[in-house]
């Protein structure tokens, strides 16, 4: 039996500690002498590679189950909010929720729900038609999902990305990889033309792939 996530939303908010180890989809944080194993998306793990042996802050969700507790981590608090919304959908567990947000990117996920695009959700491994329809229906009617003002907060300032993303997807790049590269660029993406941003994203994705291989 998995306990209701809402009972534990406020037990931990974040962990601050030295990043001492990076594993596949996991990191180890040393917090005052205690090593916490935290499950992260591949995108966040790659982002943290530059911070090995440095202090980092990771937002936490503690998943409580009979065979032990598992910590899921997020570098972005808004991303954790989306994760919690997905956990509120019947039949969606933490692993699947994390896979959805990584495969589609936060922006892509929000747009899929708002546009009732269940077929887009079905492209994620583990998401069948029933689960995809349930995600769209339940989140469309979720006050929590609507109260985050997610469309504005996720899309704000990313108009250049929206312009070049279709080209990159048609070229064979994964949406999650594009989003991860855009996060890596950060402020460097501001003021770039569509052509310059496309080139910068491709270069960043190549660096990410090389560093994770």
């Amino acid at each position: 039996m998995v306990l209701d996530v809402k009972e534990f939303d406020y037990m931990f908010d974040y962990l601050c500690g030295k990043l001492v180890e990076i594993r596949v989809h996991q990191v180890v944080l040393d917090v005052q002498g205690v090593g916490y194993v935290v499950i992260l998306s591949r995108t966040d793990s790659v982002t943290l590679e530059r911070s090995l042996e440095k202090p980092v802050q990771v937002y936490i969700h503690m998943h409580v189950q009979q065979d032990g507790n598992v910590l899921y981590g997020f570098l972005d608090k808004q991303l954790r909010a989306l994760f919690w919304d997905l956990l509120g959908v019947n039949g969606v567990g933490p692993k699947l929720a994390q896979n959805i947000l990584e495969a589609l990117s936060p922006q892509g996920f929000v747009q899929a729900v708002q546009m009732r695009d269940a077929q887009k959700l079905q492209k994620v491994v583990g998401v069948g038609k029933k689960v995809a329809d349930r995600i769209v229906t339940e989140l469309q009617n979720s006050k929590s999902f609507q109260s985050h003002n997610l469309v504005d907060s996720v899309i704000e300032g990313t108009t250049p990305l929206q312009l070049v993303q279709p080209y990159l997807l048609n070229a064979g790049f994964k949406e999650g990889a594009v989003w991860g590269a855009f996060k890596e660029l950060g402020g460097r993406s501001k003021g770039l033309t569509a052509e310059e941003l496309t080139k910068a994203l491709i270069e960043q994705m190549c660096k990410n792939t090389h560093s994770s291989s």
Side-chain angles (χ1 to χ4, degrees), residues 64-94:
V64 181
Q65 51 194 34
Q66 284 185 329
D67 57 353
N69 302 336
V70 181
L71 295 178
Y72 287 84
F74 308 86
L75 299 185
D76 189 310
K77 197 170 187 178
Q78 187 68 66
L79 187 60
R80 185 183 61 176
L82 287 169
F83 178 85
W84 278 343
D85 286 323
L86 273 167
L87 289 189
V89 176
N90 184 29
V92 177

Side-chain angles (χ1 to χ4, degrees), residues 29-178:
L29 294 182
D30 183 337
V31 182
Q32 297 183 349
V34 179
Y36 289 89
V37 177
V38 182
I39 297 177
L40 294 178
S41 68
R42 182 176 179 276
T43 301
D44 281 350
S45 295
V46 169
T47 301
L48 284 179
E49 285 183 348
R50 300 176 181 178
S51 301
L52 192 62
E53 297 299 326
K54 297 179 181 179
V56 299
Q57 176 176 300
V58 179
Y59 295 101
I60 292 297
H61 164 73
M62 186 175 76
H63 189 66
V64 181
Q65 51 194 34
Q66 284 185 329
D67 57 353
N69 302 336
V70 181
L71 295 178
Y72 287 84
F74 308 86
L75 299 185
D76 189 310
K77 197 170 187 178
Q78 187 68 66
L79 187 60
R80 185 183 61 176
L82 287 169
F83 178 85
W84 278 343
D85 286 323
L86 273 167
L87 289 189
V89 176
N90 184 29
V92 177
K95 290 184 179 179
L96 183 56
Q98 190 178 61
N99 287 344
I100 291 171
L101 293 175
E102 183 170 17
L104 296 180
S105 82
Q107 177 189 5
F109 170 66
V110 170
Q111 290 176 336
V113 172
Q114 293 293 339
M115 298 178 67
R116 297 183 177 272
D117 189 357
Q119 290 186 346
K120 188 172 186 178
L121 293 170
Q122 291 180 56
K123 295 179 181 178
V124 180
V125 176
V127 179
K129 185 178 185 305
K130 289 184 179 180
V131 173
D133 289 341
R134 197 179 299 135
I135 291 172
V136 169
T137 301
E138 293 189 19
L139 291 187
Q140 280 280 338
N141 298 321
S142 168
K143 292 182 179 180
S144 172
F145 183 83
Q146 301 299 334
S147 68
H148 292 308
N149 197 20
L150 295 173
V151 173
D152 290 340
S153 60
V154 173
I155 296 177
E156 181 180 1
T158 64
T159 301
L161 177 61
Q162 290 176 290
L163 291 175
V164 305
Q165 190 176 46
Y167 168 80
L168 292 170
L169 296 180
N170 289 335
F173 293 99
K174 300 296 184 181
E175 191 167 5
V178 175

